[in-house]
Amino acid sequence: MMQYRTLGNSGAVVSNYALGTMTFGAEATEEMSYAILDSYVAAGGNFIDTADVYSAGASEEIIGRWLAQRSDAQDRVVLATKGRFPMGGAPNDVGTSRRHLARALDDSLRRLGVEQIDLYQMHAWDPITPLEETLRFLHDAVSSGKIAYYGFSNFLGWQLTKAVHLAKAHGWSAPVTLQPQYSLLVREIESEIVPASLDAGIGLLPWSPLGGGWLSGKYKRDEPPAGATRLGENPTRGMEAWQARNDDPRTWDVIGTVEKIAADHGVSASQVALAWLADQVAVTSVILGARTTEQLADNLAAADVKLSDEETRRLTEISQPRVGVYPYGPMAQEQRSRKIEGGR
């Protein structure tokens, strides 16, 4: 059964599984996208995430047309989108400057067919634009009613902390969420980003929760993928490229443990991996991506999977991210700890 949580440190309430729409207009046709949206809302989901660059604006347009035909959904769903990446080839068609974001936000509002976007996210850090410029624009967008809340995606811990404290120092609206890559295969954010988020009351919205499909169990060791899957179509695709993960024994240790627990529960491997992630500290909502309603239904069934403490421990231990001795190793962590009763 779907659970509901506050959107980070805001008062808005969202389901603990969000619908990611990067496939809309690309891997999923408009007809299939409508079916996916209808199925998601029928299952109790109310949090839809998109971005202006998804299918060059087509994802937002599809959602906008769907909303126009589903008047009941307009009041039920919490709508999130992102700006920052290029929608054109000119120097000012990219970034988090006031100039670019003013146009990007208006374009997203138009494509989505709404007067206000519930959550507007900076898709990545911009090393050129002063952070004060970005934050002031976001504050003004909240004040004008164009957005209700804002957040970030792919920020590092220090970047998030700097943004939080700059906003506080100026009396501007505060960020509420951060969207990082996070899964049983990618847990490096636990060293800095998770603590920074907890310190600021920021809610995490993990993307790629199945590690680009690896945690679904559809890839087999030493068998190059083929067919209608992301890696089958492009084995070198992005951070989840097949060769590097296939060559890493940790990948198969994690997948093997996930599949064993899934078999014990009589559920899919995807559901176990998603259930583990949804229960992690600071996580508000896990972003699901689907090409079909069947994929979505399987993923949403994770809401009914309850892992035991022992199963959670096994998954957590087998997927421990590799860290050096310093500054994230056990002895370095001990240096930063303190017992209330004194001593080491």
Side-chain angles (χ1 to χ4, degrees), residues 23-36 62 290-292:
T23 61
F24 289 11
E27 299 159 281
T29 65
E30 182 152 347
E31 181 182 9
M32 179 56 67
S33 299
Y34 280 25
I36 290 171
I62 289 171
R291 295 186 182 195
T292 66

Side-chain angles (χ1 to χ4, degrees), residues 247-262:
D247 292 346
D248 187 349
R250 175 178 173 270
T251 299
W252 303 108
D253 289 342
V254 172
I255 292 173
T257 303
V258 169
E259 291 179 334
K260 175 62 170 64
I261 293 174

Side-chain angles (χ1 to χ4, degrees), residues 179 220 334:
Q179 196 174 128
K220 305 303 178 184
E334 185 180 4

